[in-house]
């Protein structure tokens, strides 16, 4: 069996038992990438030579009996907004096209310590702003289940890479659904941990109160493995939570018996396609049969989550992206005087969606509009958080579709920003409330396109969420989905 | 909410240090108005008694020891600069004669 068909956990075990060598694993993935990458276009930068060298190093260390870490020799793809020392980190933007970070993000440091091997940096919507990866300044990525369709976004490259088995594991970032929605579109697992659980040090900032790094994997077990490695307190991130990481043993034991599951009424309503609703409810039935207690629950402020998010996130972005001024790194367009230089640089360096959000955020924060937009949105955010707190008094886990619609065609929504924003209605509330949530395939629709189910947990109770996710995967007879391509 | 005019879009673009083309100004005026119209929904919610949520997790006053750590060598810190000289970033002239 070719290595690329194995799960990350199987790979790690086989490598440790010396049944397969890190070099063989790397070669298998390189072969797979050569075969499918021209169709999928998941990667902005491939680091195959470096990966081969690192595989050799791990192999030597393994042979000399060294403890080489939990993911020794296992390849991983990294979203291109996570800083990797010596490897370009572009955020899929012209403004950072030639940026080579002088340091590793904390998650990259942790992955290297665990022996993982970076095989490339993945495509994304520019600065993680978008839901289809069409906002990449370089090229769109294609959904492996239907190459005419988008992989979702903004971590579309990471999701497509894992879906097409161009990598067993990937990291993405999730500000309003950017891990979960592409995972749903590409038929894989995508997990956004609680805000503060995974260090953001070295993640290029989009909206700092919402951004969170997390795993994209082919199954829940691999997700647990990767989460376990990256979930560490980090003094380099002042929002990092000093809370111990749950043990692997605990997270790897499925639990569904007696778990109280709430179906979120508002996220099965208007705008959610019938077939998606049915697919998710059918998937929930398997959990009920396995012993979960299922009921409906209402979170009345969720219909306000979308405008609330699209005020807060662009406001934070307009501030965060002020650093791209043509001085310290990135593109500079020469002009007469410093302000014209800033303005020309930013005009040429940013794409349409990034400019749109900077404009929206700058407007919402500007004199005379701050109270009506930004402050109002912060208050609505408090109401949404309160809704979740209430719901979690009676339920352990909340459930909804991940995306209200199946993967759409490339070009279908790109000219209508509001329509594109609607793709995030089910995932956004989770970021506003800083909760952990995971998307897992529910099955395929009548066109053979993946549907995703979202499980939402209590803050810092990732262990319970992942245990239920494992049980769900075992209980759903339609999983795993067939590997596309 | 009042409609955003093209002049306001120009003003916001200046605040954001973006030099937009005429075409972009037209496009953003139209799109931002549509987006803000859709977001007017927020105003229906009474929020007089609600405290704005600006810290999402209960972490306050995170301090670090005031000890010098490791820092990047100058060459590495300047390696990505569009223009630099020795220890400095070079920018266009800011102060007039």
């Amino acid at each position: 069996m070719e290595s690329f068909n194995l799960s990350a956990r199987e790979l790690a075990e086989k490598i440790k038992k010396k049944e397969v060598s890190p070099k063989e694993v790397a070669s298998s993935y390189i072969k797979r990438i050569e075969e499918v990458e021209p169709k999928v276009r998941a990667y902005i930068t491939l680091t195959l030579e470096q990966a081969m060298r690192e595989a050799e190093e791990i192999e030597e260390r393994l042979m000399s009996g060294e403890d080489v870490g939990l993911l020794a020799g296992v390849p991983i793809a990294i979203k291109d907004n996570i800083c990797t020392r010596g490897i370009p980190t572009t955020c899929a933007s012209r403004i950072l096209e030639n940026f080579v970070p002088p340091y590793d993000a904390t998650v990259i440091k942790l992955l290297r310590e665990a022996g993982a091997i970076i095989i490339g940096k993945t495509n994304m919507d520019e600065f993680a702003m978008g839901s289809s990866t069409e906002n990449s300044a370089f090229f769109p990525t294609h959904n492996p289940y239907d190459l005419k369709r988008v992989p979702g976004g903004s971590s579309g490259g990471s999701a497509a890479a894992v879906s097409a088995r161009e990598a067993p594991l990937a990291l993405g970032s999730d500000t309003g659904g950017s891990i979960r929605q592409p995972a749903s579109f590409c038929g894989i697992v995508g997990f956004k941990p609680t805000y503060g659980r995974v260090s953001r040090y070295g993640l290029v900032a989009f909206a700092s109160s919402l951004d969170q790094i997390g795993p994209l994997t082919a199954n829940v077990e691999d997700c647990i493995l990767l989460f376990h490695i990256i979930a560490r307190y980090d003094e380099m991130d002042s929002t990092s939570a000093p809370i111990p990481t749950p043990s692997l043993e605990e997270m790897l034991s499925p639990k569904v018996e007696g778990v109280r599951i709430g179906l979120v009424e508002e996220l099965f309503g208007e705008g959610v396609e019938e077939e998606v609703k049915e697919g998710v409810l059918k998937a929930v039935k398997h959990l009920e049969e396995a012993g979960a207690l299922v009921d409906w629950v209402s979170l009345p402020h969720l219909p306000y989550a979308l405008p609330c998010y699209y005020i807060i996130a662009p406001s934070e972005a307009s501030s965060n992206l002020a650093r791209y001024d043509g001085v310290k790194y990135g593109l500079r367009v020469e002009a007469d005087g410093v302000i014209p230089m800033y303005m020309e640089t930013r005009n040429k360096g940013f794409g349409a969606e990034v400019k749109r959000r900077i404009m929206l955020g700058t407007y919402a924060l500007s004199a005379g509009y701050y109270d009506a937009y930004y402050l109002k949105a912060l208050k609505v955010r408090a109401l949404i958080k309160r809704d979740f707190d209430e719901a979690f008094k009676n339920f352990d886990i909340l459930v909804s579709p991940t995306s209200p619609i199946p993967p759409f065609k490339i070009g279908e929504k790109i000219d209508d920003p509001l329509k594109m924003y609607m793709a995030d209605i089910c995932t956004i509330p989770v970021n506003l409330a800083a909760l952990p949530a995971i998307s897992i395939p529910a099955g395929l629709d009548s066109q053979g396109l993946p549907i995703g189910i979202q499980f939402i947990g209590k803050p810092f109770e990732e262990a319970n969420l992942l245990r239920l996710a494992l049980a769900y995967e075992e209980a759903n007879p339609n999983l795993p989905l067939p590997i596309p391509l | 909410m009042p409609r955003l005019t093209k002049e306001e879009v120009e003003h916001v673009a200046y605040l954001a240090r973006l030099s937009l083309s005429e075409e972009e100004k037209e496009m953003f005026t139209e799109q931002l108005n549509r987006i803000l119209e859709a977001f007017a929904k927020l105003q229906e919610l009474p929020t007089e008694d609600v405290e704005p949520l600006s810290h999402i997790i209960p972490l306050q006053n995170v301090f670090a020891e005031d000890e010098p750590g490791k820092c990047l060598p100058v060459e590495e810190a300047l390696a990505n600069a569009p223009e630099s000289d020795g220890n400095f970033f070079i920018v266009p002239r800011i102060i007039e004669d």
Side-chain angles (χ1 to χ4, degrees):
Chain A
M1 192 179 206
E2 276 287 349
S3 292
F4 71 77
N5 284 317
L6 298 171
S7 75
R9 197 174 187 214
E10 287 165 335
L11 275 177
E13 269 168 25
K14 280 186 183 291
I15 290 171
K16 227 154 268 164
K17 288 191 202 143
K18 305 197 174 76
E19 291 171 19
V20 60
S21 80
K23 265 167 70 184
E24 283 164 0
V25 172
S27 307
S28 171
Y29 275 99
I30 291 171
K31 216 176 98 197
R32 176 69 175 169
I33 288 171
E34 280 166 358
E35 187 190 323
V36 300
E37 177 62 6
K39 294 179 208 158
V40 178
R41 306 215 68 190
Y43 291 97
I44 291 176
T45 306
L46 282 163
T47 53
L48 303 179
E49 280 172 30
Q50 194 175 331
M52 226 30 200
R53 278 200 303 275
E54 285 175 26
E56 245 164 76
E57 256 169 62
I58 298 262
E59 205 161 309
E60 280 167 26
R61 287 169 56 199
L62 198 68
M63 287 309 177
S64 66
E66 229 181 290
D67 176 16
V68 280
L70 206 56
L71 283 181
V74 179
I76 186 163
I78 307 289
K79 187 176 182 179
D80 212 20
N81 61 349
I82 299 174
C83 285
T84 40
R85 185 183 159 92
I87 305 171
T89 299
T90 69
C91 290
S93 180
R94 292 284 171 210
I95 216 159
L96 285 178
E97 195 170 0
N98 299 311
F99 177 62
V100 182
Y103 71 102
D104 274 332
T106 297
V107 289
I108 299 299
K109 197 174 128 252
L110 292 168
L111 282 171
R112 291 193 195 281
E113 281 165 15
I117 293 174
I118 295 169
I119 53 171
K121 301 294 295 287
T122 56
N123 200 17
M124 54 188 279
D125 287 296
E126 184 177 3
F127 283 104
M129 297 176 188
S131 312
S132 67
T133 311
E134 291 166 288
N135 292 331
S136 166
F138 307 131
F139 49 84
T141 294
H142 301 260
N143 190 315
Y145 280 88
D146 178 350
L147 296 168
K148 288 190 200 68
R149 293 177 189 267
V150 302
S154 66
S155 312
S158 285
V162 172
S163 173
R165 300 301 190 272
E166 295 183 73
L169 301 169
L171 282 186
S173 68
D174 190 315
T175 305
S178 281
I179 289 174
R180 292 159 287 154
Q181 186 256 16
S184 168
F185 275 20
C186 292
I188 62 163
V189 172
F191 178 40
K192 182 201 96 73
T194 312
Y195 181 81
R197 180 63 102 172
V198 176
S199 169
R200 292 185 295 110
Y201 180 68
L203 170 68
V204 177
F206 159 16
S208 304
S209 81
L210 301 157
D211 297 341
Q212 183 68 125
I213 295 173
L216 292 110
T217 58
N219 59 65
V220 177
E221 216 173 58
D222 287 354
C223 172
I224 291 172
L225 209 60
L226 185 48
F227 170 65
H228 182 75
I229 289 165
I230 61 171
R232 289 285 178 275
Y233 169 72
D234 180 19
E235 61 176 20
M236 299 299 282
D237 172 2
S238 64
T239 58
S240 176
I243 296 175
T245 309
S247 76
L248 263 185
E249 294 67 35
E250 184 190 1
M251 290 191 283
L252 285 171
S253 43
K255 182 172 186 288
V256 58
E257 191 66 47
V259 175
R260 299 167 305 167
I261 290 178
L263 303 172
V264 181
E265 272 173 31
E266 287 76 8
L267 302 183
F268 284 85
E270 206 188 321
V272 183
E273 264 186 34
E274 207 47 48
E275 215 181 334
V276 171
K277 249 184 260 185
E278 277 169 28
V280 171
L281 290 175
K282 228 194 269 170
V284 170
K285 276 270 179 291
H286 299 304
L287 273 176
E288 213 168 1
E289 281 157 18
L293 308 168
V294 181
D295 205 350
W296 288 92
V297 58
S298 169
L299 282 76
H301 294 99
L302 290 197
Y304 300 94
L306 193 82
C308 175
Y309 173 88
Y310 276 102
I311 298 290
I312 293 173
S315 294
E316 293 184 17
S318 72
S319 164
N320 274 327
L321 272 61
R323 72 191 64 180
Y324 303 102
D325 58 3
V327 174
K328 300 174 291 302
Y329 39 72
L331 180 77
R332 173 188 289 188
V333 177
E334 298 297 344
D336 192 17
V338 76
I339 290 182
M341 184 278 279
Y342 293 155
M343 295 184 67
E344 293 304 324
T345 296
R346 291 162 64 79
N347 189 47
K348 185 139 185 277
F350 292 139
E353 182 60 26
V354 174
K355 286 183 203 171
R356 188 152 41 237
R357 295 208 197 179
I358 291 175
M359 292 288 291
L360 188 57
T362 305
Y363 179 70
L365 291 175
S366 65
Y369 300 100
Y370 179 90
D371 285 6
Y373 288 111
Y374 185 67
L375 195 66
K376 183 81 184 182
L378 290 186
K379 289 178 170 191
V380 174
R381 187 175 185 181
L383 293 173
I384 289 165
K385 171 86 168 60
R386 215 182 277 171
D387 276 2
F388 277 106
D389 290 344
E390 282 302 311
F392 280 126
K393 284 180 185 163
N394 300 312
F395 295 94
D396 304 307
I397 305 282
L398 301 176
V399 167
S400 77
T402 307
S403 163
I405 48 172
F408 46 89
K409 294 215 170 94
I410 293 175
E412 195 181 319
K413 293 182 193 291
I414 196 69
D415 296 326
D416 188 342
L418 262 178
K419 248 195 207 157
M420 189 70 92
Y421 297 170
M422 293 292 288
D424 302 331
I425 47 171
C426 300
T427 45
I428 274 172
V430 169
N431 298 76
L432 289 171
L435 302 169
I438 188 167
S439 177
I440 311 175
L444 297 174
D445 73 2
S446 52
Q447 296 186 80
L449 300 170
I451 297 173
I453 177 170
Q454 173 175 245
F455 296 97
I456 308 167
K458 297 177 187 175
F460 298 106
E461 293 193 15
E462 285 95 345
N464 290 333
L465 180 62
L466 293 166
R467 293 178 70 186
L468 179 90
L470 266 185
Y472 161 77
E473 209 176 36
E474 281 173 15
N476 187 335
N478 301 319
L479 299 181
L481 297 181
I483 297 176
L485 299 174
Chain B
M1 285 282 159
R3 278 188 70 81
L4 196 59
T5 62
K6 197 176 140 198
E7 289 65 42
E8 282 175 292
V9 166
E10 283 171 352
H11 175 62
V12 172
Y14 181 74
L15 292 177
R17 298 291 185 262
L18 288 168
S19 70
L20 301 181
S21 66
E22 277 308 306
E23 205 177 287
E24 281 175 313
K25 286 177 200 166
E26 303 279 345
M27 179 179 78
F28 285 141
T29 307
E30 190 266 329
Q31 288 178 343
L32 291 177
N33 271 309
R34 278 209 303 131
I35 291 168
L36 292 169
E37 240 165 67
F39 291 2
K41 186 180 170 67
L42 279 184
Q43 311 304 331
E44 340 167 326
L45 267 183
T47 50
E48 293 74 35
D49 305 326
V50 184
E51 274 292 308
L53 184 63
S54 23
H55 296 283
I56 191 69
I57 51 172
L59 273 180
Q60 274 162 354
N61 298 341
V62 179
F63 296 116
E65 290 302 321
D66 189 16
E67 285 165 1
K70 272 202 291 185
C71 57
L72 287 176
V74 173
E75 314 78 68
E76 284 188 36
L78 290 175
N80 280 289
E83 209 183 338
S84 64
D85 181 19
N87 282 333
F88 301 101
F89 294 101
I90 296 182
V91 294
R93 189 181 185 92
I94 292 169
I95 301 164
E96 304 290 320
D97 287 326

